[in-house]
Amino acid sequence: MLHSWTSLLLLSLAFSAALQVPGRRQTNNGVHLAITPTCGKLGGAFANVNAGVITSGIKTLVAFGDSYTSGGRSDGGPLAAAVLNGTSPRAGGRVTDGPVWAEDVASDLGATIKDYAVSGAVVNVTLWPSKAGQSDFLHQAALFLSQNNALNSATTLYTVFFGINDFSASSTDGNHLPQAAAELLTQIKQLASAPINARNVVVLDDYGRGKHSATGDAWKQAVFDGLSSLRAQGLNVAFVDFAPLWDGVLGSSPGFAAFGYANSGACIPNLSQTDLSGECSTPLNSFYWLPGHPSKETHRIMADYVNFVLAKCKA
Ligand SMILES: *[C@@H]1O[C@H](CO)[C@@H](O)[C@H](O)[C@H]1NC(C)=O
Ligand SMILES: *[C@@H]1O[C@H](CO)[C@@H](O)[C@H](O)[C@H]1NC(C)=O
Ligand SMILES: *[C@@H]1O[C@H](CO)[C@@H](O)[C@H](O)[C@H]1NC(C)=O
């Protein structure tokens, strides 16, 4: 009896080890999602939730956002190869050394990405004098609308990922985050109306990149609350909160090493440099590639995080 239980235990251990998908770990240079996203519900405190967003049959992923989402081209057209070329630290113009999370998610879905994200983008640039000249969601959505893309709503997934640059501007320009949250929701409402009639919208947040503040949390909550209203109006919505991922890597629970990182810093020392000088000795195991910007391995686990929320946080 004891023997058979031991065998069963060993068998189940072997089985769960097999479920760790060693191929994925190898392909991502040993970096893996070492935490399990926690799910919540609409109508309460902000949390990971998928209220009706479908992923099967999606053919097109339309992405709005900042450098975290930018594939190096912002008109929805085909992106340059996501590889480092020559001495530039930017793979095909991306602020990273490979594909960004949205490209990974699109690839996982078997969908084509139409990327409108631009580095430095905020929700509404007029709110933030210190960001004058930067892109915003208003302009990205206007460009998308002007193209009359005629996408099938039933097979198109929209992703909206702003807040990092709005939050950083709020320390200079004052707290206009409540207005930014309201205007982000207004843009989503516009996408959900004729002629686009978006049906599936995923909103993502990482405003503080590991920092937490009352004004930042209020921004996140306002966006989350707005999604409840949109859901009540029939839109399929999901919310992905990356804060636990950043906390898990930058804090001690479980800490960067548990994810397979050699450190929690950046591999390339200066965000504005145009060459690879000073590159770290562990380029494939760095949390950030350029300062403040996820490495391609981090983008991969961000995509894993998104996939988990969409699949498991159904509410
Ligand atoms: C790398 O750069 C060269 C020269 O600019 C260019 O001809 C080539 O297409 C690039 N390769 C990739 C994969 O982007
Ligand atoms: C953007 O912000 C400015 C300044 O507050 C405001 O006047 C304008 O109406 C906003 N635009 C939109 C579309 O909300
Ligand atoms: C980064 O590089 C820019 C341009 O070379 C330089 O002006 C700046 O001082 C550098 N920043 C740091 C933190 O080294």
Side-chain angles (χ1 to χ4, degrees):
M1 191 63 183
L2 186 65
H3 176 73
S4 65
W5 278 112
T6 311
S7 306
L8 196 62
L9 181 67
L10 287 173
L11 191 68
S12 66
L13 283 174
F15 191 60
S16 62
L19 286 178
Q20 303 281 313
V21 197
R24 164 60 62 75
R25 289 194 55 169
Q26 279 155 19
T27 57
N28 201 37
N29 302 307
V31 174
H32 56 280
L33 190 58
I35 56 168
T36 303
T38 302
C39 302
K41 286 183 184 151
L42 287 179
F46 56 74
N48 294 306
V49 60
N50 178 4
V53 169
I54 59 137
T55 49
S56 62
I58 293 296
K59 292 196 167 68
T60 309
L61 186 151
V62 177
F64 301 104
D66 57 25
S67 57
Y68 275 39
T69 307
S70 173
R73 172 175 177 168
S74 55
D75 64 355
L79 303 175
V83 291
L84 293 176
N85 188 9
T87 56
S88 170
R90 298 178 178 226
R94 297 162 182 80
V95 193
T96 185
D97 55 336
V100 298
W101 71 272
E103 296 178 87
D104 289 331
V105 169
S107 157
D108 295 343
L109 293 170
T112 300
I113 187 169
K114 290 180 74 64
D115 200 341
Y116 296 84
V118 180
S119 283
V122 292
V123 173
N124 171 1
V125 75
T126 313
L127 288 175
W128 311 112
S130 69
K131 298 287 182 186
Q134 299 287 2
S135 168
D136 63 16
F137 188 18
L138 307 181
H139 286 89
Q140 292 176 25
L143 173 60
F144 171 73
L145 281 160
S146 76
Q147 292 175 334
N148 299 311
N149 284 296
L151 296 168
N152 178 347
S153 299
T155 60
T156 304
L157 182 64
Y158 292 82
T159 68
V160 177
F161 188 3
F162 292 91
I164 293 174
N165 297 305
D166 298 79
F167 180 67
S168 74
S170 69
S171 63
T172 309
D173 298 323
N175 182 18
H176 306 304
L177 290 169
Q179 195 179 333
E183 290 170 6
L184 179 133
L185 292 160
T186 302
Q187 288 305 303
I188 293 174
K189 257 178 239 168
Q190 190 188 345
L191 291 170
S193 310
I196 303 298
N197 297 311
R199 298 264 299 280
N200 297 291
V201 180
V202 181
V203 179
L204 307 98
D205 194 85
D206 194 24
Y207 78 80
R209 293 183 285 186
K211 285 192 187 127
H212 296 259
S213 85
T215 57
D217 278 2
W219 138 271
K220 192 156 55 162
Q221 188 66 49
V223 170
F224 188 78
D225 290 345
L227 294 182
S228 301
S229 317
L230 292 171
R231 178 62 179 150
Q233 292 163 36
L235 189 65
N236 301 328
V237 295
F239 187 78
V240 177
D241 181 7
F242 283 126
L245 174 50
W246 260 251
D247 292 344
V249 172
L250 300 177
S252 57
S253 174
F256 63 83
F259 290 81
Y261 293 120
N263 59 69
S264 59
C267 184
I268 303 294
N270 189 327
L271 183 56
S272 44
Q273 73 187 65
T274 55
D275 60 23
L276 293 165
S277 56
E279 184 179 357
C280 66
S281 60
T282 54
L284 305 179
N285 297 90
S286 292
F287 179 53
Y288 286 140
W289 174 246
L290 287 149
H293 290 78
S295 65
K296 68 181 190 299
E297 288 76 20
T298 300
H299 277 290
R300 181 58 255 176
I301 67 169
M302 290 167 73
D304 293 344
Y305 193 100
V306 173
N307 291 342
F308 183 98
V309 171
L310 294 180
K312 306 285 186 193
C313 295
K314 290 182 180 166

mmCIF file with all atom_site columns, all heavy atoms in Angstrom, residues 107-132:
data_model
loop_
_atom_site.group_PDB
_atom_site.id
_atom_site.type_symbol
_atom_site.label_atom_id
_atom_site.label_alt_id
_atom_site.label_comp_id
_atom_site.label_asym_id
_atom_site.label_entity_id
_atom_site.label_seq_id
_atom_site.pdbx_PDB_ins_code
_atom_site.Cartn_x
_atom_site.Cartn_y
_atom_site.Cartn_z
_atom_site.occupancy
_atom_site.B_iso_or_equiv
_atom_site.pdbx_formal_charge
_atom_site.auth_seq_id
_atom_site.auth_comp_id
_atom_site.auth_asym_id
_atom_site.auth_atom_id
_atom_site.pdbx_PDB_model_num
ATOM 1   N N   . SER A 1 107 ? 0.403  36.493 -31.590 1.00 0.00 ? 107 SER A N   1
ATOM 2   C CA  . SER A 1 107 ? 0.973  35.263 -32.121 1.00 0.00 ? 107 SER A CA  1
ATOM 3   C C   . SER A 1 107 ? 0.347  34.039 -31.443 1.00 0.00 ? 107 SER A C   1
ATOM 4   O O   . SER A 1 107 ? -0.005 33.049 -32.107 1.00 0.00 ? 107 SER A O   1
ATOM 5   C CB  . SER A 1 107 ? 2.494  35.337 -31.946 1.00 0.00 ? 107 SER A CB  1
ATOM 6   O OG  . SER A 1 107 ? 3.050  34.076 -31.940 1.00 0.00 ? 107 SER A OG  1
ATOM 7   N N   . ASP A 1 108 ? 0.140  34.090 -30.133 1.00 0.00 ? 108 ASP A N   1
ATOM 8   C CA  . ASP A 1 108 ? -0.499 32.987 -29.409 1.00 0.00 ? 108 ASP A CA  1
ATOM 9   C C   . ASP A 1 108 ? -1.921 32.744 -29.920 1.00 0.00 ? 108 ASP A C   1
ATOM 10  O O   . ASP A 1 108 ? -2.402 31.606 -29.945 1.00 0.00 ? 108 ASP A O   1
ATOM 11  C CB  . ASP A 1 108 ? -0.574 33.280 -27.906 1.00 0.00 ? 108 ASP A CB  1
ATOM 12  C CG  . ASP A 1 108 ? 0.803  33.367 -27.250 1.00 0.00 ? 108 ASP A CG  1
ATOM 13  O OD1 . ASP A 1 108 ? 1.791  32.889 -27.856 1.00 0.00 ? 108 ASP A OD1 1
ATOM 14  O OD2 . ASP A 1 108 ? 0.898  33.921 -26.137 1.00 0.00 ? 108 ASP A OD2 1
ATOM 15  N N   . LEU A 1 109 ? -2.607 33.838 -30.287 1.00 0.00 ? 109 LEU A N   1
ATOM 16  C CA  . LEU A 1 109 ? -3.990 33.724 -30.773 1.00 0.00 ? 109 LEU A CA  1
ATOM 17  C C   . LEU A 1 109 ? -4.051 33.334 -32.244 1.00 0.00 ? 109 LEU A C   1
ATOM 18  O O   . LEU A 1 109 ? -5.126 33.070 -32.773 1.00 0.00 ? 109 LEU A O   1
ATOM 19  C CB  . LEU A 1 109 ? -4.711 35.076 -30.616 1.00 0.00 ? 109 LEU A CB  1
ATOM 20  C CG  . LEU A 1 109 ? -4.979 35.591 -29.201 1.00 0.00 ? 109 LEU A CG  1
ATOM 21  C CD1 . LEU A 1 109 ? -5.467 37.033 -29.248 1.00 0.00 ? 109 LEU A CD1 1
ATOM 22  C CD2 . LEU A 1 109 ? -6.014 34.702 -28.511 1.00 0.00 ? 109 LEU A CD2 1
ATOM 23  N N   . GLY A 1 110 ? -2.899 33.368 -32.924 1.00 0.00 ? 110 GLY A N   1
ATOM 24  C CA  . GLY A 1 110 ? -2.889 33.161 -34.370 1.00 0.00 ? 110 GLY A CA  1
ATOM 25  C C   . GLY A 1 110 ? -3.488 34.364 -35.094 1.00 0.00 ? 110 GLY A C   1
ATOM 26  O O   . GLY A 1 110 ? -4.054 34.227 -36.180 1.00 0.00 ? 110 GLY A O   1
ATOM 27  N N   . ALA A 1 111 ? -3.372 35.548 -34.478 1.00 0.00 ? 111 ALA A N   1
ATOM 28  C CA  . ALA A 1 111 ? -3.965 36.770 -35.034 1.00 0.00 ? 111 ALA A CA  1
ATOM 29  C C   . ALA A 1 111 ? -2.886 37.692 -35.605 1.00 0.00 ? 111 ALA A C   1
ATOM 30  O O   . ALA A 1 111 ? -1.716 37.586 -35.259 1.00 0.00 ? 111 ALA A O   1
ATOM 31  C CB  . ALA A 1 111 ? -4.739 37.509 -33.945 1.00 0.00 ? 111 ALA A CB  1
ATOM 32  N N   . THR A 1 112 ? -3.328 38.597 -36.467 1.00 0.00 ? 112 THR A N   1
ATOM 33  C CA  . THR A 1 112 ? -2.446 39.631 -37.007 1.00 0.00 ? 112 THR A CA  1
ATOM 34  C C   . THR A 1 112 ? -2.553 40.859 -36.118 1.00 0.00 ? 112 THR A C   1
ATOM 35  O O   . THR A 1 112 ? -3.660 41.265 -35.755 1.00 0.00 ? 112 THR A O   1
ATOM 36  C CB  . THR A 1 112 ? -2.910 40.010 -38.437 1.00 0.00 ? 112 THR A CB  1
ATOM 37  O OG1 . THR A 1 112 ? -2.858 38.839 -39.240 1.00 0.00 ? 112 THR A OG1 1
ATOM 38  C CG2 . THR A 1 112 ? -2.018 41.082 -39.041 1.00 0.00 ? 112 THR A CG2 1
ATOM 39  N N   . ILE A 1 113 ? -1.422 41.464 -35.782 1.00 0.00 ? 113 ILE A N   1
ATOM 40  C CA  . ILE A 1 113 ? -1.468 42.669 -34.958 1.00 0.00 ? 113 ILE A CA  1
ATOM 41  C C   . ILE A 1 113 ? -1.534 43.912 -35.837 1.00 0.00 ? 113 ILE A C   1
ATOM 42  O O   . ILE A 1 113 ? -0.859 43.995 -36.866 1.00 0.00 ? 113 ILE A O   1
ATOM 43  C CB  . ILE A 1 113 ? -0.264 42.747 -33.973 1.00 0.00 ? 113 ILE A CB  1
ATOM 44  C CG1 . ILE A 1 113 ? -0.438 43.921 -33.001 1.00 0.00 ? 113 ILE A CG1 1
ATOM 45  C CG2 . ILE A 1 113 ? 1.067  42.837 -34.720 1.00 0.00 ? 113 ILE A CG2 1
ATOM 46  C CD1 . ILE A 1 113 ? 0.554  43.911 -31.836 1.00 0.00 ? 113 ILE A CD1 1
ATOM 47  N N   . LYS A 1 114 ? -2.395 44.845 -35.423 1.00 0.00 ? 114 LYS A N   1
ATOM 48  C CA  . LYS A 1 114 ? -2.388 46.188 -35.989 1.00 0.00 ? 114 LYS A CA  1
ATOM 49  C C   . LYS A 1 114 ? -2.034 47.109 -34.824 1.00 0.00 ? 114 LYS A C   1
ATOM 50  O O   . LYS A 1 114 ? -2.826 47.299 -33.911 1.00 0.00 ? 114 LYS A O   1
ATOM 51  C CB  . LYS A 1 114 ? -3.760 46.564 -36.586 1.00 0.00 ? 114 LYS A CB  1
ATOM 52  C CG  . LYS A 1 114 ? -4.090 45.773 -37.859 1.00 0.00 ? 114 LYS A CG  1
ATOM 53  C CD  . LYS A 1 114 ? -5.441 46.151 -38.449 1.00 0.00 ? 114 LYS A CD  1
ATOM 54  C CE  . LYS A 1 114 ? -5.428 47.500 -39.134 1.00 0.00 ? 114 LYS A CE  1
ATOM 55  N NZ  . LYS A 1 114 ? -4.541 47.559 -40.318 1.00 0.00 ? 114 LYS A NZ  1
ATOM 56  N N   . ASP A 1 115 ? -0.813 47.614 -34.843 1.00 0.00 ? 115 ASP A N   1
ATOM 57  C CA  . ASP A 1 115 ? -0.246 48.314 -33.696 1.00 0.00 ? 115 ASP A CA  1
ATOM 58  C C   . ASP A 1 115 ? -0.237 49.826 -33.947 1.00 0.00 ? 115 ASP A C   1
ATOM 59  O O   . ASP A 1 115 ? 0.306  50.281 -34.962 1.00 0.00 ? 115 ASP A O   1
ATOM 60  C CB  . ASP A 1 115 ? 1.179  47.789 -33.472 1.00 0.00 ? 115 ASP A CB  1
ATOM 61  C CG  . ASP A 1 115 ? 1.714  48.062 -32.078 1.00 0.00 ? 115 ASP A CG  1
ATOM 62  O OD1 . ASP A 1 115 ? 1.174  48.948 -31.386 1.00 0.00 ? 115 ASP A OD1 1
ATOM 63  O OD2 . ASP A 1 115 ? 2.686  47.387 -31.685 1.00 0.00 ? 115 ASP A OD2 1
ATOM 64  N N   . TYR A 1 116 ? -0.854 50.580 -33.016 1.00 0.00 ? 116 TYR A N   1
ATOM 65  C CA  . TYR A 1 116 ? -0.899 52.050 -33.111 1.00 0.00 ? 116 TYR A CA  1
ATOM 66  C C   . TYR A 1 116 ? -0.143 52.705 -31.959 1.00 0.00 ? 116 TYR A C   1
ATOM 67  O O   . TYR A 1 116 ? -0.144 53.929 -31.831 1.00 0.00 ? 116 TYR A O   1
ATOM 68  C CB  . TYR A 1 116 ? -2.366 52.529 -33.136 1.00 0.00 ? 116 TYR A CB  1
ATOM 69  C CG  . TYR A 1 116 ? -3.082 52.036 -34.370 1.00 0.00 ? 116 TYR A CG  1
ATOM 70  C CD1 . TYR A 1 116 ? -3.655 50.762 -34.411 1.00 0.00 ? 116 TYR A CD1 1
ATOM 71  C CD2 . TYR A 1 116 ? -3.112 52.805 -35.526 1.00 0.00 ? 116 TYR A CD2 1
ATOM 72  C CE1 . TYR A 1 116 ? -4.257 50.278 -35.564 1.00 0.00 ? 116 TYR A CE1 1
ATOM 73  C CE2 . TYR A 1 116 ? -3.716 52.328 -36.685 1.00 0.00 ? 116 TYR A CE2 1
ATOM 74  C CZ  . TYR A 1 116 ? -4.281 51.066 -36.693 1.00 0.00 ? 116 TYR A CZ  1
ATOM 75  O OH  . TYR A 1 116 ? -4.859 50.586 -37.843 1.00 0.00 ? 116 TYR A OH  1
ATOM 76  N N   . ALA A 1 117 ? 0.480  51.892 -31.108 1.00 0.00 ? 117 ALA A N   1
ATOM 77  C CA  . ALA A 1 117 ? 1.148  52.420 -29.920 1.00 0.00 ? 117 ALA A CA  1
ATOM 78  C C   . ALA A 1 117 ? 2.389  53.227 -30.292 1.00 0.00 ? 117 ALA A C   1
ATOM 79  O O   . ALA A 1 117 ? 3.059  52.942 -31.281 1.00 0.00 ? 117 ALA A O   1
ATOM 80  C CB  . ALA A 1 117 ? 1.534  51.266 -29.000 1.00 0.00 ? 117 ALA A CB  1
ATOM 81  N N   . VAL A 1 118 ? 2.673  54.231 -29.481 1.00 0.00 ? 118 VAL A N   1
ATOM 82  C CA  . VAL A 1 118 ? 3.820  55.116 -29.696 1.00 0.00 ? 118 VAL A CA  1
ATOM 83  C C   . VAL A 1 118 ? 4.527  55.324 -28.352 1.00 0.00 ? 118 VAL A C   1
ATOM 84  O O   . VAL A 1 118 ? 3.867  55.564 -27.328 1.00 0.00 ? 118 VAL A O   1
ATOM 85  C CB  . VAL A 1 118 ? 3.372  56.504 -30.236 1.00 0.00 ? 118 VAL A CB  1
ATOM 86  C CG1 . VAL A 1 118 ? 4.576  57.418 -30.459 1.00 0.00 ? 118 VAL A CG1 1
ATOM 87  C CG2 . VAL A 1 118 ? 2.573  56.368 -31.528 1.00 0.00 ? 118 VAL A CG2 1
ATOM 88  N N   . SER A 1 119 ? 5.843  55.278 -28.356 1.00 0.00 ? 119 SER A N   1
ATOM 89  C CA  . SER A 1 119 ? 6.625  55.535 -27.147 1.00 0.00 ? 119 SER A CA  1
ATOM 90  C C   . SER A 1 119 ? 6.232  56.863 -26.514 1.00 0.00 ? 119 SER A C   1
ATOM 91  O O   . SER A 1 119 ? 6.093  57.862 -27.214 1.00 0.00 ? 119 SER A O   1
ATOM 92  C CB  . SER A 1 119 ? 8.108  55.632 -27.498 1.00 0.00 ? 119 SER A CB  1
ATOM 93  O OG  . SER A 1 119 ? 8.619  54.375 -27.709 1.00 0.00 ? 119 SER A OG  1
ATOM 94  N N   . GLY A 1 120 ? 6.098  56.874 -25.217 1.00 0.00 ? 120 GLY A N   1
ATOM 95  C CA  . GLY A 1 120 ? 5.828  58.112 -24.499 1.00 0.00 ? 120 GLY A CA  1
ATOM 96  C C   . GLY A 1 120 ? 4.370  58.528 -24.477 1.00 0.00 ? 120 GLY A C   1
ATOM 97  O O   . GLY A 1 120 ? 4.036  59.572 -23.903 1.00 0.00 ? 120 GLY A O   1
ATOM 98  N N   . ALA A 1 121 ? 3.491  57.737 -25.077 1.00 0.00 ? 121 ALA A N   1
ATOM 99  C CA  . ALA A 1 121 ? 2.096  58.162 -25.223 1.00 0.00 ? 121 ALA A CA  1
ATOM 100 C C   . ALA A 1 121 ? 1.349  58.225 -23.888 1.00 0.00 ? 121 ALA A C   1
ATOM 101 O O   . ALA A 1 121 ? 1.593  57.440 -22.969 1.00 0.00 ? 121 ALA A O   1
ATOM 102 C CB  . ALA A 1 121 ? 1.355  57.232 -26.184 1.00 0.00 ? 121 ALA A CB  1
ATOM 103 N N   . VAL A 1 122 ? 0.411  59.180 -23.827 1.00 0.00 ? 122 VAL A N   1
ATOM 104 C CA  . VAL A 1 122 ? -0.493 59.360 -22.699 1.00 0.00 ? 122 VAL A CA  1
ATOM 105 C C   . VAL A 1 122 ? -1.928 59.234 -23.235 1.00 0.00 ? 122 VAL A C   1
ATOM 106 O O   . VAL A 1 122 ? -2.123 58.970 -24.423 1.00 0.00 ? 122 VAL A O   1
ATOM 107 C CB  . VAL A 1 122 ? -0.281 60.737 -22.027 1.00 0.00 ? 122 VAL A CB  1
ATOM 108 C CG1 . VAL A 1 122 ? 1.082  60.803 -21.337 1.00 0.00 ? 122 VAL A CG1 1
ATOM 109 C CG2 . VAL A 1 122 ? -0.408 61.871 -23.052 1.00 0.00 ? 122 VAL A CG2 1
ATOM 110 N N   . VAL A 1 123 ? -2.922 59.463 -22.366 1.00 0.00 ? 123 VAL A N   1
ATOM 111 C CA  . VAL A 1 123 ? -4.316 59.375 -22.813 1.00 0.00 ? 123 VAL A CA  1
ATOM 112 C C   . VAL A 1 123 ? -4.686 60.609 -23.640 1.00 0.00 ? 123 VAL A C   1
ATOM 113 O O   . VAL A 1 123 ? -5.207 60.494 -24.752 1.00 0.00 ? 123 VAL A O   1
ATOM 114 C CB  . VAL A 1 123 ? -5.280 59.224 -21.611 1.00 0.00 ? 123 VAL A CB  1
ATOM 115 C CG1 . VAL A 1 123 ? -6.737 59.298 -22.079 1.00 0.00 ? 123 VAL A CG1 1
ATOM 116 C CG2 . VAL A 1 123 ? -5.015 57.902 -20.887 1.00 0.00 ? 123 VAL A CG2 1
ATOM 117 N N   . ASN A 1 124 ? -4.430 61.790 -23.075 1.00 0.00 ? 124 ASN A N   1
ATOM 118 C CA  . ASN A 1 124 ? -4.772 63.056 -23.742 1.00 0.00 ? 124 ASN A CA  1
ATOM 119 C C   . ASN A 1 124 ? -3.623 64.016 -23.463 1.00 0.00 ? 124 ASN A C   1
ATOM 120 O O   . ASN A 1 124 ? -3.474 64.499 -22.333 1.00 0.00 ? 124 ASN A O   1
ATOM 121 C CB  . ASN A 1 124 ? -6.092 63.593 -23.172 1.00 0.00 ? 124 ASN A CB  1
ATOM 122 C CG  . ASN A 1 124 ? -6.405 65.002 -23.656 1.00 0.00 ? 124 ASN A CG  1
ATOM 123 O OD1 . ASN A 1 124 ? -5.659 65.598 -24.428 1.00 0.00 ? 124 ASN A OD1 1
ATOM 124 N ND2 . ASN A 1 124 ? -7.529 65.542 -23.188 1.00 0.00 ? 124 ASN A ND2 1
ATOM 125 N N   . VAL A 1 125 ? -2.828 64.296 -24.455 1.00 0.00 ? 125 VAL A N   1
ATOM 126 C CA  . VAL A 1 125 ? -1.583 65.039 -24.235 1.00 0.00 ? 125 VAL A CA  1
ATOM 127 C C   . VAL A 1 125 ? -1.848 66.466 -23.751 1.00 0.00 ? 125 VAL A C   1
ATOM 128 O O   . VAL A 1 125 ? -0.994 67.062 -23.073 1.00 0.00 ? 125 VAL A O   1
ATOM 129 C CB  . VAL A 1 125 ? -0.705 65.004 -25.523 1.00 0.00 ? 125 VAL A CB  1
ATOM 130 C CG1 . VAL A 1 125 ? -1.249 65.922 -26.604 1.00 0.00 ? 125 VAL A CG1 1
ATOM 131 C CG2 . VAL A 1 125 ? 0.751  65.304 -25.192 1.00 0.00 ? 125 VAL A CG2 1
ATOM 132 N N   . THR A 1 126 ? -3.030 67.005 -24.060 1.00 0.00 ? 126 THR A N   1
ATOM 133 C CA  . THR A 1 126 ? -3.336 68.377 -23.639 1.00 0.00 ? 126 THR A CA  1
ATOM 134 C C   . THR A 1 126 ? -3.430 68.504 -22.113 1.00 0.00 ? 126 THR A C   1
ATOM 135 O O   . THR A 1 126 ? -3.269 69.587 -21.555 1.00 0.00 ? 126 THR A O   1
ATOM 136 C CB  . THR A 1 126 ? -4.654 68.851 -24.302 1.00 0.00 ? 126 THR A CB  1
ATOM 137 O OG1 . THR A 1 126 ? -4.594 68.528 -25.695 1.00 0.00 ? 126 THR A OG1 1
ATOM 138 C CG2 . THR A 1 126 ? -4.856 70.340 -24.152 1.00 0.00 ? 126 THR A CG2 1
ATOM 139 N N   . LEU A 1 127 ? -3.661 67.376 -21.442 1.00 0.00 ? 127 LEU A N   1
ATOM 140 C CA  . LEU A 1 127 ? -3.725 67.385 -19.976 1.00 0.00 ? 127 LEU A CA  1
ATOM 141 C C   . LEU A 1 127 ? -2.353 67.581 -19.328 1.00 0.00 ? 127 LEU A C   1
ATOM 142 O O   . LEU A 1 127 ? -2.269 67.920 -18.150 1.00 0.00 ? 127 LEU A O   1
ATOM 143 C CB  . LEU A 1 127 ? -4.276 66.046 -19.472 1.00 0.00 ? 127 LEU A CB  1
ATOM 144 C CG  . LEU A 1 127 ? -5.752 65.738 -19.676 1.00 0.00 ? 127 LEU A CG  1
ATOM 145 C CD1 . LEU A 1 127 ? -6.043 64.322 -19.205 1.00 0.00 ? 127 LEU A CD1 1
ATOM 146 C CD2 . LEU A 1 127 ? -6.593 66.743 -18.917 1.00 0.00 ? 127 LEU A CD2 1
ATOM 147 N N   . TRP A 1 128 ? -1.306 67.318 -20.088 1.00 0.00 ? 128 TRP A N   1
ATOM 148 C CA  . TRP A 1 128 ? 0.033  67.237 -19.484 1.00 0.00 ? 128 TRP A CA  1
ATOM 149 C C   . TRP A 1 128 ? 1.027  68.127 -20.234 1.00 0.00 ? 128 TRP A C   1
ATOM 150 O O   . TRP A 1 128 ? 1.677  67.666 -21.179 1.00 0.00 ? 128 TRP A O   1
ATOM 151 C CB  . TRP A 1 128 ? 0.542  65.787 -19.526 1.00 0.00 ? 128 TRP A CB  1
ATOM 152 C CG  . TRP A 1 128 ? -0.417 64.740 -19.025 1.00 0.00 ? 128 TRP A CG  1
ATOM 153 C CD1 . TRP A 1 128 ? -1.026 63.783 -19.780 1.00 0.00 ? 128 TRP A CD1 1
ATOM 154 C CD2 . TRP A 1 128 ? -0.832 64.507 -17.676 1.00 0.00 ? 128 TRP A CD2 1
ATOM 155 N NE1 . TRP A 1 128 ? -1.810 62.978 -18.986 1.00 0.00 ? 128 TRP A NE1 1
ATOM 156 C CE2 . TRP A 1 128 ? -1.710 63.395 -17.691 1.00 0.00 ? 128 TRP A CE2 1
ATOM 157 C CE3 . TRP A 1 128 ? -0.553 65.133 -16.455 1.00 0.00 ? 128 TRP A CE3 1
ATOM 158 C CZ2 . TRP A 1 128 ? -2.304 62.896 -16.535 1.00 0.00 ? 128 TRP A CZ2 1
ATOM 159 C CZ3 . TRP A 1 128 ? -1.158 64.633 -15.309 1.00 0.00 ? 128 TRP A CZ3 1
ATOM 160 C CH2 . TRP A 1 128 ? -2.012 63.527 -15.350 1.00 0.00 ? 128 TRP A CH2 1
ATOM 161 N N   . PRO A 1 129 ? 1.172  69.389 -19.796 1.00 0.00 ? 129 PRO A N   1
ATOM 162 C CA  . PRO A 1 129 ? 2.123  70.287 -20.486 1.00 0.00 ? 129 PRO A CA  1
ATOM 163 C C   . PRO A 1 129 ? 3.538  69.698 -20.580 1.00 0.00 ? 129 PRO A C   1
ATOM 164 O O   . PRO A 1 129 ? 4.217  69.898 -21.586 1.00 0.00 ? 129 PRO A O   1
ATOM 165 C CB  . PRO A 1 129 ? 2.106  71.542 -19.608 1.00 0.00 ? 129 PRO A CB  1
ATOM 166 C CG  . PRO A 1 129 ? 0.757  71.535 -18.961 1.00 0.00 ? 129 PRO A CG  1
ATOM 167 C CD  . PRO A 1 129 ? 0.411  70.089 -18.759 1.00 0.00 ? 129 PRO A CD  1
ATOM 168 N N   . SER A 1 130 ? 3.951  68.919 -19.584 1.00 0.00 ? 130 SER A N   1
ATOM 169 C CA  . SER A 1 130 ? 5.314  68.370 -19.620 1.00 0.00 ? 130 SER A CA  1
ATOM 170 C C   . SER A 1 130 ? 5.474  67.291 -20.690 1.00 0.00 ? 130 SER A C   1
ATOM 171 O O   . SER A 1 130 ? 6.594  66.881 -21.000 1.00 0.00 ? 130 SER A O   1
ATOM 172 C CB  . SER A 1 130 ? 5.702  67.803 -18.250 1.00 0.00 ? 130 SER A CB  1
ATOM 173 O OG  . SER A 1 130 ? 4.957  66.640 -17.965 1.00 0.00 ? 130 SER A OG  1
ATOM 174 N N   . LYS A 1 131 ? 4.369  66.854 -21.264 1.00 0.00 ? 131 LYS A N   1
ATOM 175 C CA  . LYS A 1 131 ? 4.432  65.824 -22.308 1.00 0.00 ? 131 LYS A CA  1
ATOM 176 C C   . LYS A 1 131 ? 4.135  66.402 -23.692 1.00 0.00 ? 131 LYS A C   1
ATOM 177 O O   . LYS A 1 131 ? 3.831  65.633 -24.632 1.00 0.00 ? 131 LYS A O   1
ATOM 178 C CB  . LYS A 1 131 ? 3.421  64.702 -22.002 1.00 0.00 ? 131 LYS A CB  1
ATOM 179 C CG  . LYS A 1 131 ? 3.687  63.954 -20.702 1.00 0.00 ? 131 LYS A CG  1
ATOM 180 C CD  . LYS A 1 131 ? 4.896  63.040 -20.814 1.00 0.00 ? 131 LYS A CD  1
ATOM 181 C CE  . LYS A 1 131 ? 5.124  62.261 -19.531 1.00 0.00 ? 131 LYS A CE  1
ATOM 182 N NZ  . LYS A 1 131 ? 6.375  61.482 -19.567 1.00 0.00 ? 131 LYS A NZ  1
ATOM 183 N N   . ALA A 1 132 ? 4.183  67.712 -23.813 1.00 0.00 ? 132 ALA A N   1
ATOM 184 C CA  . ALA A 1 132 ? 3.862  68.348 -25.101 1.00 0.00 ? 132 ALA A CA  1
ATOM 185 C C   . ALA A 1 132 ? 4.616  67.670 -26.240 1.00 0.00 ? 132 ALA A C   1
ATOM 186 O O   . ALA A 1 132 ? 5.814  67.399 -26.126 1.00 0.00 ? 132 ALA A O   1
ATOM 187 C CB  . ALA A 1 132 ? 4.215  69.836 -25.046 1.00 0.00 ? 132 ALA A CB  1
#
